[in-house]
Amino acid sequence: MQPEIIIPVLMGCALLWWIGRGMGWTTRLLVGAIALGLIALVLLVERALR
């Protein structure tokens, strides 16, 4: 994989872990699902504009 893909993914995981320290597992899963949905939406919009 390319570093411009790996580094943001790792930073995003670290940020979710840091923010989610005080959250329960249900809230963590919800936040993770929302984040993945936003990423997919951005990718779809980006590909549609090309």
Side-chain angles (χ1 to χ4, degrees):
M1 294 187 89
Q2 300 170 351
E4 58 265 7
I5 296 173
I6 294 173
I7 292 171
V9 169
L10 288 176
M11 291 182 72
C13 290
L15 182 63
L16 283 174
W17 172 81
W18 184 71
I19 291 172
R21 289 182 298 173
M23 296 180 188
W25 279 103
T26 307
T27 309
R28 285 185 192 182
L29 289 174
L30 182 63
V31 169
I34 291 170
L36 288 174
L38 287 173
I39 291 168
L41 182 66
V42 167
L43 288 174
L44 286 172
V45 169
E46 180 182 277
R47 290 183 183 197
L49 294 176
R50 284 187 179 187

